[in-house]
Amino acid sequence: MDSYWNVRYHEEGLIWGQNPSSTAFHARDIFKQNNVTTVLVPGSGYGRNTKALSADFTVEGIELSGHAVKLARQWDPQSHFMEGSVLDSPTGGKKYDAVYCFDLLHLFLLKDRRKLIDHCIKQLNDSGIMYFTCFSDEDTHNGAGKRVEEGTFEYMEGKCAHFFTEEDLINHFGGLNLMEVGSVTEKLTYQDERTKEYLLRYIVVKKD
Ligand SMILES: C[S@@+](CC[C@H](N)C(=O)[O-])C[C@H]1O[C@@H](n2cnc3c(N)ncnc32)[C@H](O)[C@@H]1O
C-alpha cells in the first residue's frame, strides 16, 4: 500500500484538490463544543483535512506515504506530521482529546480495521471523541470487484474497499458512546478541475 500511495502522491500531488471535506468542518464544530485542544489525524495524506482543523487545535497527523508527508508539511505547516503506519503499535504513550480519521478505515480487512480503531482508542484521553468517515454500502461503487470478506471487495489488484452499512459501522465502535451517525455526499474537485461525488458514512463516538 505504501508504494501505491507514494506513487499516486508523486504523480498527482494534491490528489483531491485543496478544499477540505465538509466532514472536517463538522468535526471541527463538534470538537469545539466539547473543548477539544489536541487532535490526531491517522492517514493524514497531504493535509487536505488537517488544514481545516489546525487553526483551532493542535493537530498531529500520521501518514504511511513519505511523499504525502512532504506535501503536507508544505500545505499545512501548522500541523505536525509523522511518517509511519497506523497499524504499528502506538509508541510514546501520547494521548489526544480527539481523533479525526477520513476515509482510511475502509481500506483495511476486518482484522486491521479492528486494530486501527483499537490503536486510536488507546491514544484517546478519557472523554475523548473520535470522528471517522468511510465508504457507504449505498454508494454506487459497492460490489465492484472480487468479494474478499463480507462487504469488502478487491476493486483492483491488491486494493480492497469495505462498504459499511450503518449497523456495521456502529458495531465497529461497540463499547464507545455513540454521539452521532449519518451519511454525507463527498464532493471532490481534482487538481485538473474534474469533479466527483460519492456517498460516505460518518460516526462520532465518545470514550467514557
Ligand atoms: C483515501 S486516502 C485519504 C487521505 C486523507 N485522509 C485525505 O482526505 O486527504 C488514505 C490515506 O491513508 C494513508 N494510509 C494508508 N494506509 C496507512 C497506514 N497503514 N498508516 C498510515 N496511513 C495510511 C494513505 O497513504 C493515504 O494518504
Side-chain angles (χ1 to χ4, degrees), residues 1 5 9 16 42-49 62-65 68 84-87 102-104 106-108:
M1 193 180 287
W5 287 108
Y9 286 115
W16 303 284
S44 43
Y46 56 86
R48 178 171 83 100
N49 291 312
I62 177 155
E63 167 57 50
L64 191 62
S65 160
S85 173
V86 294
L87 300 178
F102 182 87
D103 281 10
L104 176 65
H106 56 235
L107 300 180
F108 300 118

Side-chain angles (χ1 to χ4, degrees), residues 1-2 4-6 8-9 15-17 19-21 41-50 62-66 68-69 82-88 100-108 112 116 133 135 155 159 186 188 198:
M1 193 180 287
D2 178 27
Y4 168 83
W5 287 108
N6 247 338
R8 279 204 69 183
Y9 286 115
I15 304 172
W16 303 284
N19 296 329
S21 164
V41 180
S44 43
Y46 56 86
R48 178 171 83 100
N49 291 312
T50 60
I62 177 155
E63 167 57 50
L64 191 62
S65 160
V69 168
M82 300 166 277
E83 186 177 337
S85 173
V86 294
L87 300 178
D88 291 341
Y100 170 78
C101 188
F102 182 87
D103 281 10
L104 176 65
L105 186 63
H106 56 235
L107 300 180
F108 300 118
D112 284 342
L116 166 60
T133 75
F135 285 166
Y155 61 94
K159 288 273 295 149
E186 176 72 5
L188 296 172
Y198 63 102

